[in-house]
Amino acid sequence: MTADGPSIAQRRADLEREFAPWRPRTLDEHFEHVAARFAARPYVITGDRVFTYEDVLRQAHRFADGLAALGVRAGDHVGLLMANYPEYEPLKLAIARAGAVAVPLNYLYRTQELGFVLRQSCSRVLITMTSFRNQDYLAMLDELAPGWERAGSIGFGDLERVLTLDPEGKGEGREGVLDVPELERIGAASPGAARGGLRGPLEMSDIMYTSGTTGEPKGVQLSHDALLRQVYGSAYCRALPDGNRSVFALPCYHMFAYEQGVQAATFVGGAVLPQPRFDAGEYLRAIEQHRVNDVLAVPTMSVALVEHPARRDTDLSSLDRMLSAAAVAPTWLWERIRSDLGVRELTTAYGMTEVGGATVMTQPDDPLEVTASTVGRPKPSGAASEAGGPIAEYRILDPATGEPVPPGEPGELVARGPTTMLGYWNRPEETAAALRDGWLYSGDLGRALPDGSLVITGRSKDLFKSGGELVMPKEVEDFLSGQPGVSQAFVVGVPDDRWGEAGCAFVVPEPGAVPDPAALVEDCRENLARFKVPRHVFVLGADEVPQTPTGKVQKFKLVPIARDRLGADVFVRALSPADSA
């Protein structure tokens, strides 16, 4: 025990007393277990509304019974397109209790992106918001599947039924279409329709979509047990205290928020304060009003918090810890999180959806220089790991030969462990390429320090992260090259002081054409998810595109061209504390 409460070792011991030895459960069985223990405690706090564990469990039962009464069967795929509203948690649990497989959907998808994932995932039911920000999902469905309002064969893949939620009460529902409140009423009139326990812990619970090497999203199949082991490992590594309260605006469809927020809280009887939109002022108000002690963020959010003018007048005395991850952050930012926000336990992490989330983390008592310069070590996970150590075993291999690299040298990160994906949904070739003899080949490059910490040095593919979201350049390139006047397009990630990395597109015009960069950016905004939209567009002559003697484009040589056109200061601002004043 320290002066400020239980030590890190004591908090981990508390977790082990409750959950060791590990007992595999489904997601709904796990929540039944923790709700019995923490029934009266707050679980979801949104504004002034507080939902206890018992409240969420009862609503999840009604939703599950409603789904079963409507014909959802074990193994059916149910798409969930939902921002961080309080209905997300009970709906997610209800899908598991009904024996179905959840397909969390990115609510930034544009029409064609949404259509692709709905078809590819074989979703039979879709639960969707009517709208969010400038996204009109009902209009998207009108375009994709005319007549979607009727139940039964819609003529769009496997989709048979759509349920809607009008979260802000705008009256946007459609006549004849069931909404989420009606689903709950149907469930209340059909108690026991969903029996629970219809699928086992090692069976698939989720198909979570992530960008792939083909430029199309790939559905990562994860089991109930894999998710819960990974979540417990994070709670154990971070040594979350009893009753931990976390605030986040990271979307619940994303592994970061789902693992570190929605699920991690349940292992310690904690509460989550999910924010539908990121607003640094709202974060600060939530911390003060609800005595939040934990913040989940990507570096762009962390910058906004330390720079917000209300920070100095906000009571942040309850705030103890922060997990800031998913993108590179400059050293000055870590220092200001500690000095300006009073965070004592500051951690970062690395992982992939394919391995169930964050398998590498820094420790809450690591020196600041470790957190600022590495992504930590394979995380200790207590009861959830197979041998009581890290949740995943890592190797660093030469991408060309597949052989281990010498100590300290960079190579491709490959991992194996009990949280590794079951495979990509309906993509056997990609699954075989990524999973080899039980090892997951990440495509990420890194090197190991003598203490076992990992430093991410790049990616063997062309992927980059913008605001914590993974961007596949080929997807953007294909769109741009389909625009009038554009012959070719090449997209690279360049350093950005706010987003970590931003897309920089180079377009080669068709003969006689003069593409307008501003118009191309606007076209991207209208047709692509926001995080995929390039921040910079430049026109290049065909003879200016760097190529090998055999005609292959050398995209890495586009980065210095971007530096010259943008100005070198753009590339160093993210490392300078001057912008943080």
Side-chain angles (χ1 to χ4, degrees):
M1 179 78 71
T2 68
D4 299 308
S7 66
I8 291 171
Q10 287 172 313
R11 285 180 257 153
R12 288 175 175 166
D14 290 342
L15 276 163
E16 292 286 82
R17 272 193 296 273
E18 177 63 24
F19 293 100
W22 184 258
R23 292 174 289 278
R25 295 184 172 107
T26 61
L27 294 174
D28 54 304
E29 288 171 342
H30 166 72
F31 197 80
E32 296 274 354
H33 173 78
V34 296
R37 185 180 177 203
F38 304 121
R41 286 194 186 185
Y43 174 43
V44 179
I45 301 173
T46 172
D48 293 322
R49 301 167 68 195
V50 177
F51 301 87
T52 66
Y53 278 78
E54 186 174 17
D55 292 335
V56 172
L57 180 64
R58 288 178 176 173
Q59 191 173 40
H61 279 198
R62 292 192 292 269
F63 285 151
D65 289 338
L67 290 173
L70 292 175
V72 172
R73 303 181 297 271
D76 282 349
H77 295 182
V78 178
L80 184 59
L81 201 164
M82 194 75 58
N84 292 3
Y85 291 112
E87 292 84 359
Y88 191 95
E89 286 79 1
L91 282 169
K92 187 73 171 55
L93 287 166
I95 294 169
R97 182 172 172 79
V101 175
V103 184
L105 296 168
N106 186 331
Y107 50 73
L108 296 179
Y109 281 152
R110 299 299 185 182
T111 304
Q112 298 308 313
E113 296 166 314
L114 176 61
F116 172 83
V117 172
L118 282 176
R119 279 186 181 275
Q120 205 281 330
S121 66
C122 302
S123 291
R124 183 166 170 249
V125 175
L126 171 65
I127 304 173
T128 178
M129 300 178 289
T130 52
S131 66
F132 185 71
R133 295 178 180 167
N134 63 340
Q135 304 276 83
D136 185 338
Y137 304 108
L138 304 191
M140 290 185 191
L141 289 170
D142 288 337
E143 183 177 344
L144 292 170
W148 63 267
E149 297 94 337
R150 66 179 183 272
S153 180
I154 294 172
F156 184 80
D158 294 288
L159 192 63
E160 295 182 1
R161 182 185 289 276
V162 176
L163 301 169
T164 63
L165 176 70
D166 182 9
E168 298 180 7
K170 297 178 180 178
E172 295 177 331
R174 288 285 179 88
E175 185 177 352
V177 177
L178 293 177
D179 61 15
V180 169
E182 288 172 309
L183 173 68
E184 186 171 3
R185 288 193 287 272
I186 291 170
S190 310
R195 299 188 302 276
L198 296 175
R199 293 169 67 81
L202 301 183
E203 293 185 84
M204 182 168 52
S205 69
D206 288 78
I207 302 176
M208 304 188 80
Y209 276 81
T210 182
S211 294
T213 57
T214 63
E216 296 174 339
K218 296 195 294 288
V220 177
Q221 302 173 84
L222 296 169
S223 73
H224 294 266
D225 185 59
L227 280 166
L228 289 173
R229 283 180 187 267
Q230 192 69 274
V231 173
Y232 177 88
S234 290
Y236 180 88
C237 182
R238 296 188 71 209
L240 295 184
D242 182 58
N244 190 66
R245 290 191 171 192
S246 62
V247 61
F248 57 89
L250 304 159
C252 289
Y253 70 77
H254 196 287
M255 184 60 80
F256 190 166
Y258 187 64
E259 174 194 354
Q260 306 291 344
V262 173
Q263 287 289 355
T266 66
F267 283 95
V268 294
V272 293
L273 290 85
Q275 310 288 301
R277 302 169 177 81
F278 175 69
D279 182 304
E282 288 300 322
Y283 259 53
L284 295 171
R285 279 188 285 275
I287 293 168
E288 181 176 71
Q289 180 181 355
H290 297 287
R291 305 300 295 164
V292 168
N293 54 0
D294 186 18
V295 166
L296 306 179
V298 296
T300 53
M301 297 176 179
S302 303
V303 169
L305 286 169
V306 299
E307 292 183 345
H308 199 279
R311 172 183 56 77
R312 295 177 180 83
D313 301 319
T314 302
D315 180 2
L316 301 177
S317 59
S318 63
L319 187 60
D320 295 320
R321 59 191 56 80
M322 176 187 282
L323 173 58
S324 186
V328 177
T331 301
W332 67 260
L333 177 58
W334 299 114
E335 293 171 344
R336 289 199 58 185
I337 290 171
R338 181 161 290 180
S339 63
D340 295 0
L341 301 180
V343 174
R344 294 175 297 175
E345 297 181 5
L346 180 58
T347 53
T348 191
Y350 162 80
M352 301 174 66
T353 306
E354 287 89 338
V355 291
T359 48
V360 178
M361 298 183 80
T362 56
Q363 305 283 310
D365 54 353
D366 274 340
L368 190 62
E369 56 266 24
V370 171
T371 307
S373 61
T374 80
V375 290
R377 299 178 291 280
K379 70 183 183 190
S381 300
S385 63
E386 294 181 328
I391 196 72
E393 176 186 359
Y394 271 86
R395 290 180 179 176
I396 302 179
L397 306 181
D398 185 308
T401 67
E403 295 298 316
V405 300
E409 291 297 312
E412 182 175 7
L413 300 176
V414 301
R416 68 177 178 184
T419 67
T420 303
M421 69 173 180
L422 301 172
Y424 294 117
W425 174 253
N426 278 351
R427 288 184 179 273
E429 292 183 2
E430 286 93 336
T431 297
L435 280 176
R436 308 176 213 167
D437 298 322
W439 290 90
L440 189 287
Y441 284 68
S442 71
D444 290 330
L445 300 176
R447 60 187 176 88
L449 301 182
D451 68 352
S453 295
L454 295 178
V455 177
I456 305 302
T457 59
R459 284 176 281 277
S460 60
K461 305 168 187 175
D462 294 328
L463 305 174
F464 63 92
K465 282 187 176 180
S466 182
E469 292 280 2
L470 203 60
V471 180
M472 178 63 195
K474 185 176 184 298
E475 196 173 358
V476 185
E477 291 163 355
D478 287 347
F479 175 78
L480 286 170
S481 60
Q483 301 309 298
V486 176
S487 171
Q488 301 176 78
F490 309 100
V491 175
V492 295
V494 298
D496 186 271
D497 57 331
R498 283 279 174 178
W499 304 107
E501 292 176 288
C504 182
F506 293 87
V507 297
V508 177
E510 293 178 345
V514 184
D516 179 357
L520 290 173
V521 171
E522 189 58 34
D523 288 340
C524 288
R525 286 199 182 104
E526 292 177 2
N527 292 277
L528 298 174
R530 185 175 54 185
F531 62 89
K532 300 176 186 176
V533 177
R535 187 167 179 181
H536 317 283
V537 175
F538 297 118
V539 179
L540 276 185
D543 59 346
E544 295 179 276
V545 179
Q547 300 180 42
T548 67
T550 58
K552 293 183 179 179
V553 175
Q554 296 174 303
K555 292 180 70 174
F556 70 93
K557 291 187 176 180
L558 291 172
V559 175
I561 295 176
R563 181 189 298 116
D564 291 341
R565 296 202 177 191
L566 291 169
D569 64 306
V570 171
F571 281 69
V572 299
R573 266 190 311 180
L575 303 177
S576 170
D579 282 3
S580 66

